[in-house]
Amino acid sequence: MDKYRKQRAVLVAKEMCESLKEKGYETYYAENVDEALKICLNLIDENATVGVGGSETLSAMNLIEELRNGPYNFLDRYQKLPFNEIEDIYRQALTADVFVSSVNAITRDGRIVNIDSSGNRVSAISFGPKKVILAVGANKVVNNLDEAMDRIYKIAPLNAMRVHHKAPCVETGKCENCQIHASVCNSIGIINHGHKTPGRFHIIMIAEEVGF
């Protein structure tokens, strides 16, 4: 990332920290993914049961390896297991102590927007785990819900490629509004604010362009 995009990312991340705080979220500023990792691990107690959502941001932070090798009960969705066993891990994550993920988009007025194939990430963020940690690159920030949905459908092909789904968007590079089993766009979740559950949502704004 060049210095001008970095400067913009810093400004966006700092502004969002203040805006999100007013919306009832616990917020943290991270200069880069390494700093985001340290903040995230400081928010997770030893021996906590931890679930994660599928996320390029968490991979960039090296969080998965830290959870595998650290003093946690990590519900590892990335194991090479039959999908029905991975689905069981998804379900266990709904009652984990901590759920860590990124987001597809976050609006300037504090709405967290996600779209899922299975719905496990949308579900866990909405309700279940007592603590939700969201690591968000400055590139995920949009002005409103319309822009959030535009962003989601533009990155859908990338997510379909990432999870090796044989959806039409993998071939065309654009959303085809498919209604098939392999779709990665089946469940949409929107969190309007954090006031309902004070202390549950912890959002780490990263002053970098990271993740899809």
Side-chain angles (χ1 to χ4, degrees):
M1 183 166 49
D2 63 49
K3 65 178 182 179
Y4 304 110
R5 288 160 67 190
K6 173 64 177 181
Q7 183 178 354
R8 179 181 63 184
V10 168
L11 294 172
V12 169
K14 288 183 176 179
E15 179 184 349
M16 286 300 295
C17 281
E18 295 305 312
S19 174
L20 294 171
K21 196 177 299 182
E22 293 178 2
K23 292 293 181 176
Y25 305 107
E26 301 293 325
T27 63
Y28 311 83
Y29 172 83
E31 187 70 23
N32 50 48
V33 291
D34 293 335
E35 192 170 314
L37 174 64
K38 292 176 183 177
I39 294 168
C40 186
L41 292 176
N42 283 338
L43 291 169
I44 304 174
D45 294 333
E46 288 189 11
N47 302 314
T49 299
V50 184
V52 297
S55 169
E56 286 294 296
T57 300
L58 301 190
S59 296
M61 291 165 55
N62 199 40
L63 180 68
I64 305 305
E65 289 305 311
E66 291 287 341
L67 292 175
R68 281 175 175 158
N69 299 311
Y72 315 104
N73 175 24
F74 178 42
L75 302 172
D76 191 351
R77 55 168 288 160
Y78 293 107
Q79 299 174 76
K80 292 183 178 180
L81 296 171
F83 185 65
N84 65 307
E85 295 184 35
I86 297 300
E87 281 189 315
D88 287 340
I89 294 173
Y90 289 172
R91 293 187 179 94
Q92 293 172 47
L94 297 177
T95 56
D97 299 312
V98 182
F99 187 79
V100 189
S101 184
S102 188
V103 305
N104 293 130
I106 187 165
T107 67
R108 290 186 181 274
D109 66 352
R111 297 182 187 187
I112 300 164
V113 188
N114 287 295
I115 198 165
D116 275 356
S117 177
S118 298
N120 56 296
R121 181 179 56 140
V122 164
S123 300
I125 290 173
S126 295
F127 183 79
K130 294 178 180 178
K131 178 181 286 186
V132 174
I133 303 170
L134 302 173
V136 184
N139 52 307
K140 306 288 186 77
V141 176
V142 296
N143 289 318
N144 51 50
L145 286 179
D146 286 341
E147 287 189 11
M149 297 311 299
D150 285 345
R151 183 179 198 283
I152 280 172
Y153 290 124
K154 283 178 182 176
I155 64 172
L158 298 176
N159 278 317
M161 294 171 192
R162 176 177 63 85
V163 296
H164 308 295
H165 277 218
K166 293 181 180 179
C169 63
V170 172
E171 300 297 327
T172 66
K174 59 183 173 53
C175 178
E176 300 291 346
N177 192 30
C178 65
Q179 311 277 309
I180 61 172
H181 181 269
S183 173
V184 295
C185 303
N186 295 314
S187 300
I188 298 172
I190 300 173
I191 304 297
N192 283 322
H193 55 78
H195 294 299
K196 174 69 176 178
T197 51
R200 181 172 184 260
F201 288 103
H202 299 257
I203 302 180
I204 305 168
M205 288 302 311
I206 308 172
E208 289 185 332
E209 295 177 4
V210 56
F212 294 155

